[in-house]
Amino acid sequence: MTSATEAGVPPAPASPKSRKSVTGTRRTVAVLFLLPALVLLGALVVYPIGYSIVRSFYDQSGDGFAGIDNYKALFTDDGIRTALKNNIIWVVFAPTIATALGLIFAVLTERVRWGTAFKLVVFMPMAISMLAAGIIFRLVYDQDPDKGFANAVWVGVHDTFAQSSAFPKAHPGRNSPLVPQGGGFVTKATVHTGGTVTLPLVGVAPDQMPGDAKKAVAPQADPGRITGTTWQDFTRGKGVGKLGGVDPTELGYPGMKIEAVKDGKVVETAKAGADGTFSFSEKADGAKLRLPASNFKEAYNGLDWLGPSLVTPAVIGAYIWMWAGFAMVLIAAGLAGIPRELLEAARVDGASEWQVFRRVTVPLLAPVLAVVTVTLMINVLKIFDLVFIIPPGSSQDDANVLALELYRKGFAEDQPGIASAISVFLLLLVIPVMWFNIRRLRREVRR
């Protein structure tokens, strides 16, 4: 008999059991490699999320079913409502400003030789932990201009245009010819041509007297004028010096403004010299002399950066200081990928640098700007460290955010049900942002 092979008939295919699937093997290996990661993901992410959702429907003890009462508290509790309002401010302003600064820095540093060094300096705060940054900015925002950098700069700028008084604590002493009026002081009696007047004050510490102050000089009568002296009527030592009289060691009040007021109107103004002396013409005859309130204006002490009204913008400023470098680096990477031919073509066509930036650079960077903005939005939704560290206890309620309120409810106030509801609410806020980011990434992959 002739065999099938010899007859030219092909042999029968091997049974399926005898053949190994390469694809199936690869899938099995892939699953085995992914299994540890999936177990960790389930234990550290999926299970906590599921447990938080379930726990959010139970009361404080965890035994009684509370329904949606914990979620109602999100919109009725004053602390949570403040936190929600602040979170909205964070999401709107922090990512926008950080991205805008990153874009400006990235574009400008391309045009300077020391751009790399500048990028390094701006990015450096990213190497600092949130805890350290919070401590730094707690000092930066200190109310005392001698300690807080922000107020030192602010007071310096303010005093450049509006100098504060050198005598904020000055006031009349015993048996003084002056009486209070409208924040300043006025003489009890009127003055007349040819006479003299003394305006003694106390209250300025000797080491706080202006550096240009000289020894006070008693007024000398002038037949055609009204002369006087204003000075620090104080001499060191017990029982030393004459009250109401100019003593050898006492100093004048240089720059003190004096007004002659007659019938409620200022008829003449004078300024004391370094020795405290001043004079008026005959126009001041019959007037009272007034030391206006501007002489005693308290020294400007800057802004209360960590007060109720400014604490949230102040903390956002600290966040921007840290994350503007992150935005700059990502945008600079995207900027390096833009074809220079397009920019040069726009310039050849007559476009200005602003038009090139607005109509060419920004549209081409739109995907990168979207990545940076969305990443920062997700980041600020869970901001905690800076808000916990920077604001003092008196204004922490005004700076409150959802992540901090979650911590308070869960640990400080022992309300795990409400804390779980806040965590679920935060998750719901993050999901749309992540969904948008995933869709955008898929579109990029398809391209």
Side-chain angles (χ1 to χ4, degrees), residues 2 9 94 233 253 261 285 323 341 362 405 421 441-442 447:
T2 307
V9 180
D233 188 21
Y253 281 137
V261 182
D285 186 69
W323 286 86
E341 296 81 4
V362 172
E405 187 63 16
L441 289 173
R442 285 179 176 174
R447 293 177 185 176

Side-chain angles (χ1 to χ4, degrees), residues 317-371:
Y319 177 88
I320 292 171
W321 175 77
M322 291 192 67
W323 286 86
F326 167 81
M328 178 195 66
V329 169
L330 290 188
I331 294 171
L335 195 61
I338 295 179
R340 291 296 179 265
E341 296 81 4
L342 296 177
L343 304 179
E344 293 302 326
R347 294 187 180 102
V348 170
D349 289 342
S352 64
E353 288 300 322
W354 169 247
Q355 289 174 325
V356 171
F357 173 76
R358 186 165 59 92
R359 298 183 178 275
V360 181
T361 304
V362 172
L364 291 175
L365 284 175
V368 179
L369 295 176
V371 169

Side-chain angles (χ1 to χ4, degrees), residues 358-441:
R358 186 165 59 92
R359 298 183 178 275
V360 181
T361 304
V362 172
L364 291 175
L365 284 175
V368 179
L369 295 176
V371 169
V372 174
T373 304
V374 170
T375 302
L376 293 179
M377 286 176 67
I378 295 172
N379 189 266
V380 299
L381 280 172
K382 53 192 179 72
I383 190 71
F384 170 82
D385 316 64
L386 294 179
V387 183
F388 183 73
I389 297 166
I390 295 177
S394 58
S395 60
Q396 196 172 76
D397 288 341
D398 300 285
N400 200 10
V401 290
L402 288 174
L404 178 58
E405 187 63 16
L406 187 156
Y407 168 80
R408 285 178 166 185
K409 295 295 184 188
F411 297 97
E413 301 178 19
D414 193 23
Q415 299 184 44
I418 296 179
S420 298
I422 295 174
S423 67
V424 174
F425 184 66
L426 271 174
L427 177 64
L428 294 176
L429 292 177
V430 170
I431 285 175
V433 182
M434 294 184 65
W435 176 77
F436 169 80
N437 209 22
I438 291 170
R439 284 194 62 187
R440 189 198 56 74
L441 289 173

Side-chain angles (χ1 to χ4, degrees), residues 125-339:
M126 285 292 298
I128 302 174
S129 69
M130 286 281 195
L131 174 64
I135 294 172
I136 290 171
F137 274 87
R138 181 68 177 269
L139 297 175
V140 167
Y141 291 133
D142 195 287
Q143 179 69 43
D144 187 351
D146 293 331
K147 298 178 182 177
F149 174 77
N151 264 342
V153 173
W154 191 265
V155 169
V157 173
H158 174 274
D159 288 350
T160 301
F161 300 98
Q163 187 67 36
S164 58
S165 170
F167 318 109
K169 303 295 184 182
H171 61 274
R174 292 180 291 114
N175 303 325
S176 174
L178 295 165
V179 292
Q181 185 189 71
F185 306 98
V186 65
T187 55
K188 300 175 184 176
T190 57
V191 295
H192 299 281
T193 304
T196 62
V197 60
T198 54
L199 304 177
L201 295 169
V202 295
V204 180
D207 60 346
Q208 297 297 318
M209 289 292 290
D212 59 341
K214 294 181 179 180
K215 291 182 179 180
V217 176
Q220 302 296 319
D222 185 336
R225 300 187 67 82
I226 301 167
T227 58
T229 301
T230 177
W231 81 102
Q232 172 83 343
D233 188 21
F234 175 79
T235 303
R236 289 179 181 270
K238 186 176 180 180
V240 179
K242 180 182 178 183
L243 183 65
V246 178
D247 295 316
T249 60
E250 293 172 348
L251 300 175
Y253 281 137
M256 179 74 76
K257 183 180 179 182
I258 305 101
E259 297 173 341
V261 182
K262 188 185 297 185
D263 298 327
K265 295 182 180 179
V266 177
V267 295
E268 194 174 355
T269 302
K271 183 177 287 188
D275 57 3
T277 58
F278 60 90
S279 68
F280 287 96
S281 68
E282 295 177 348
K283 291 190 297 183
D285 186 69
K288 290 185 176 182
L289 300 188
R290 181 174 67 188
L291 303 178
S294 58
N295 289 315
F296 313 103
K297 183 172 61 176
E298 290 283 349
Y300 184 67
N301 205 36
L303 296 175
D304 188 7
W305 295 101
L306 300 181
S309 58
L310 290 178
V311 63
T312 294
V315 180
I316 290 176
Y319 177 88
I320 292 171
W321 175 77
M322 291 192 67
W323 286 86
F326 167 81
M328 178 195 66
V329 169
L330 290 188
I331 294 171
L335 195 61
I338 295 179

